[in-house]
Amino acid sequence: MTAPLGFTDFHSHLFPGVDDGAQTPEDSAAALAAFRKDGTRQLITTPHFMGSLTRNRAMLADRLDQLEAGWARLRAVVARDAERHGSPMRVERGVEVMLDVPDPDLSDARLRLAGTNFALVEYPSLRLPPMNAEFAVIALCEQGWTPVVAHPERYRNLAEYETLARFKGAGAYLQINAGSLFGDHGKTAATHAMNIITLGLADYVASDYHARGLPRLRDFHHAVVEAGYPEQAELLGVTNPARLLEGLPPLPVPPFVVADAEPAT
Ligand SMILES: [Fe+2]
């Protein structure tokens, strides 16, 4: 790892009591400790948010009120963590937008990643739409936002990688979950994660940490370095997430070079 701040993580569920991640401030405090231990000192945390709420003013206001309360609880935890360690962690907010409608209105900066133009999105029920899956990506790009598709390796109906190439062609970036590589989401997701990285389609790795287990960013970095790809390890886990936090697009991540069976003539 060469960056002074180590890893930057932009996908986790640390707001206490607003989704299936941290339930209490104590859970959030333990999660921050886990990130510190794993080498992450700056992060954007991203509670679940249903995109369809942006079509109903009252329901949107309710959810944003819940998130404000959760954010206030988390800020207090972050402040206590900084006091205890004598050095603050940088903790920003965003959401993970479920695309239960293909064109949610993300004009409220709280619905994007640390107020940048980047938005973390996922498709419902871990299934890609059977037709024109990239429609949502196009719709968000037309609004001026840059979608980052979370954990594409986890989609149960992902059969080939052409769909992911189309997402990228339409202006999206792809984020792999660190734990997927180690089978945390099953064997199929592990195979997809490896293939997506090998093909050079992944732009980022993130933890998707739910305040249980380990963030695994260090494990992921170590595994990719050990496989012989330190440049990709650095781009996926360090450089590109740090660029996102500053509102900058990722640098291209080269595909892995698989040795030819036949020497070139
Ligand atoms: Fe998530």
Side-chain angles (χ1 to χ4, degrees):
M1 219 188 316
T2 56
L5 284 171
F7 303 115
T8 299
D9 190 55
F10 63 79
H11 183 169
S12 66
H13 300 268
L14 305 190
F15 284 40
V18 304
D19 64 7
D20 58 343
Q23 295 304 303
T24 65
E26 291 71 29
D27 291 347
S28 305
L32 289 184
F35 272 114
R36 279 186 181 272
K37 200 171 168 196
D38 205 44
T40 299
R41 297 289 298 282
Q42 44 185 12
L43 56 90
I44 307 171
T45 187
T46 51
H48 289 292
F49 178 89
M50 288 168 65
S52 59
L53 295 177
T54 64
R55 294 193 173 169
N56 181 309
R57 193 174 294 193
M59 290 172 72
L60 175 62
D62 271 358
R63 182 59 173 155
L64 287 173
D65 283 351
Q66 286 172 6
L67 294 181
E68 283 305 318
W71 177 238
R73 293 193 291 273
L74 181 60
R75 294 302 307 162
V77 171
V78 172
R80 282 199 295 277
D81 174 86
E83 261 174 41
R84 189 173 311 127
H85 290 90
S87 63
M89 288 185 73
R90 180 177 175 187
V91 179
E92 304 281 350
R93 66 186 288 185
V95 293
E96 179 178 17
V97 181
M98 178 169 285
L99 294 170
D100 57 339
V101 293
D103 53 352
D105 175 3
L106 303 184
S107 53
D108 188 313
R110 293 172 291 183
L111 304 181
R112 306 192 307 272
L113 294 173
T116 66
N117 285 348
F118 291 91
L120 184 66
V121 300
E122 64 171 345
Y123 290 88
S125 309
L126 287 174
R127 291 199 164 271
L128 293 168
M131 302 276 289
N132 302 324
E134 69 275 26
F135 179 81
V137 168
I138 294 167
L140 289 171
C141 288
E142 280 176 353
Q143 289 183 51
W145 315 130
T146 304
V148 177
V149 177
H151 43 63
E153 75 279 6
R154 296 194 61 198
Y155 289 108
R156 298 189 179 109
N157 58 340
L158 183 66
E160 34 68 37
Y161 302 113
E162 178 53 33
T163 310
L164 303 185
R166 286 207 307 276
F167 284 163
K168 297 195 67 166
Y173 297 109
L174 304 181
Q175 174 255 303
I176 299 291
N177 278 6
S180 289
L181 198 61
F182 307 104
D184 289 1
H185 302 298
K187 276 188 190 169
T188 306
T191 302
H192 283 323
M194 193 63 211
N195 289 342
I196 292 166
I197 297 163
T198 301
L199 290 167
L201 288 169
D203 299 287
Y204 308 101
V205 64
S207 71
D208 196 3
Y209 191 50
H210 279 65
R212 296 182 290 278
L214 297 168
R216 305 204 78 157
L217 294 177
R218 188 183 295 278
D219 287 344
F220 180 94
H221 189 275
H222 184 71
V224 177
V225 169
E226 286 294 298
Y229 299 97
E231 181 190 0
Q232 286 84 344
E234 199 71 12
L235 285 165
L236 290 165
V238 179
T239 310
N240 284 345
R243 286 175 64 86
L244 183 147
L245 185 53
E246 303 308 320
L248 299 170
L251 301 178
V253 181
F256 291 5
V257 178
V258 180
D260 289 337
E262 298 286 329
T265 53

